[in-house]
Amino acid sequence: MSRPRVYVTRRLPQPALDIIRPVADVTLWDREDVPPPREVLLREVTQVDGLLTLLTDRIDGEVMDAARRLKVVSNFAVGFDNIDIPVATKHRIVVTNTPEVLTETVADFAFCLMLAAARRLVEADQYTRAGSWKTWEPLLLAGQDVHRATLGLIGLGRIGSAVARRAAGFEMRVMYYDPFRREDLEQNLHIDYRPFPDVLRQADFISVHVPLSEQTRHLIGREQFALMKPTAVFVNTSRGPVVDQQALTEALAARRIFAAGIDVFEREPVPAGDPLLVQENVIVAPHIASASVPTRIRMATLAAENLVTVLQGKRPPNPVNPEVLNG
Ligand code: GLV
């Protein structure tokens, strides 16, 4: 039997390539700064047994129809909204993701955004560097307290739970909304379930931790921002389209909420002229919540392990559509 062939859509940390190369012939889109153009992806997919993709690669019906022998799409991300899962399942293509290994790192970053937005850290940095600091002032760059505030989590999966654990150290009161109530976690984490509008109304900090799906697209829009406190700090490290970005921009501009920390956008990269970027009370980041060096290496090696195990006819650690394996 000939060696399997795989297409890897970005330059990966070496330890990941070291896992793949003994098992398969690798064609690499050898750039870090841009994804392969669509026509390259459509051409390469015709030749391969496996794809290792990033969240910037749209793996839809057109790509999977073009494939002739594709068995696995291993996504280098916990989210897999860039892949059409029902179509993959119909084609009997296994899809895998990289959960667990990034949970704590993303939770760290959600907390980092909460603290930085509440305490106006980026404004303070710019102010100090610009030489604007004349004297100590009673209300200079005054923000909101994080300690003993109420944290509202939208979504209580792995990452939401990890944020709740951190909140305990800040003596925060934590409440959550999730379409699937997690009574099993409520006692352990000392957190309360509340209906969605109640979390929005009562929380001082709101952090979003749901996957993107048709049910969660624009989950937070004008109506939801209208319920929040004027002192609320809003943080999104999940997926951009979960939030109506125009409504967020309006809420920040009108000071309907105090501040936001935003790692994900409806369009990525967010265009330079986007009105959100001119708001003073928002801290923005280029989708880096999981970007610590150890975590990104671990995600890459896990994506590589998922890829090769399927190619070797074994069960991968993280199948998203396990019915393909069972059938
Ligand atoms: C990053 O956003 C991921 O889904 O891993």
Side-chain angles (χ1 to χ4, degrees), residues 139-178:
L139 285 178
L140 176 64
L141 289 160
Q144 304 295 334
D145 277 325
V146 177
H147 69 273
R148 300 197 190 131
T150 297
L151 170 61
L153 296 168
I154 308 302
L156 192 70
R158 286 177 287 251
I159 298 171
S161 303
V163 174
R165 288 198 303 276
R166 281 156 182 73
F170 281 77
E171 299 180 50
M172 297 178 94
R173 173 178 171 218
V174 185
M175 54 180 63
Y176 79 101
Y177 167 75
D178 192 299

Side-chain angles (χ1 to χ4, degrees), residues 55 76-80 98 102 237-239 264 287 290 296 299:
L55 54 86
F76 180 143
V78 65
F80 44 83
T98 61
L102 48 55
T237 51
S238 65
R239 283 292 183 268
V264 287
H287 203 147
S290 66
R296 282 289 167 86
M299 287 168 71

